[in-house]
Amino acid sequence: MLKYFKHIGPSAVFAVFVGALLLRIPAVAFTVSSPEPLNGVVFGHFFNAVRQWPWLSLLLGFLVVFTQAMIFNKLCNEHDVLYTHTFMPAWLFILANSIFPENLHINPLMVSNYFVIGAFVFLFRMHQSDRSPTLLFYATALLTLGSYFVTEYLGAPIMLLVATIIFKNVGPRDLLAIITGTLIPLGMIWSFHFLTDQPFDFPIPKYNLNIKLDKAFMRYVAMTFFFLLTFAGLLKSGLNYFKNNIKTRRINLVSIAFFAFAIFIILIKYDHLRHYITIANSGMALYAAYFLLGEKGQRIKGLLHSILLILLLLSLYGNQLKDWLL
């Protein structure tokens, strides 16, 4: 089945589209319930209104994830992030956003990935660019706007500073770009609220790390298996590090830096793990795809991909199938 996604022909786009659609069609048939919005969610009224029509919420969720997958895949191929051009990142991006039923519905964390991918567009151009301050400003501004949905993205300037060090020596203009890229969008957000006479209730994160492994742990088998594939891909990428050109090495390091940043956010927001897993989509998709690519061990990789699909389907529809069969 992997062979349908390993090339970049039109049939691969069709395979990704059909695969994403097939993953979500049962949600309509089984009437998978839409989750309650997180407390303090920006534009909560919009998401609450959409949740009144689960089919509309599922449709919007599908359109958002599919377009994000296509943009992310184009970005990976354009900058040779993987050692071959393929639609595997798009397919794994969609699978990463299909781990829990909550992820199928339109939600603010899903929307925030547009800002993340947009920031990557500018960061990946920094290799041997003489416009690094400009690129850094736009990348920072996008992640700051993304903090309107994921407050923790306000910590992104630290990650962006690391990304700058990976590409070049940090200069005063780079630091100024990161600072202004953070402050100007925040000022625009505050001004919008002030001019429209709306209270500026910026969501304040509340952390309550309370990890419990109980019977519900079985619901996280699909997520655990996906992360195992991801870390196997990270290991493979590390082993092949010096086989890549300098640009690919640096882009991979930047991708790893953001993935580590996303994992950190997920850990401190563990109580909302099923929602926040969405922000790690790009890293999970990229490195799981990296592991599953290649000519060696194709049968084993195909088997692992099939196991992942089965686990995802059980995670999404296991309870409904059990009730339907019994």
Side-chain angles (χ1 to χ4, degrees), residues 11 49 75 87 101 113 169 171-172 187 213 220-221 267 269 300:
S11 61
L75 189 63
F87 266 95
N113 279 333
N169 294 326
L213 299 180
Y220 301 95
V221 172
L267 287 176
K269 300 293 287 187
I300 295 176

Side-chain angles (χ1 to χ4, degrees), residues 33-39 41 48 51 102 107 275:
S33 60
S34 179
E36 293 296 325
L38 297 174
N39 293 329
V41 167
N48 286 334
R51 284 185 171 91
E102 292 89 336
N107 61 73
H275 293 274

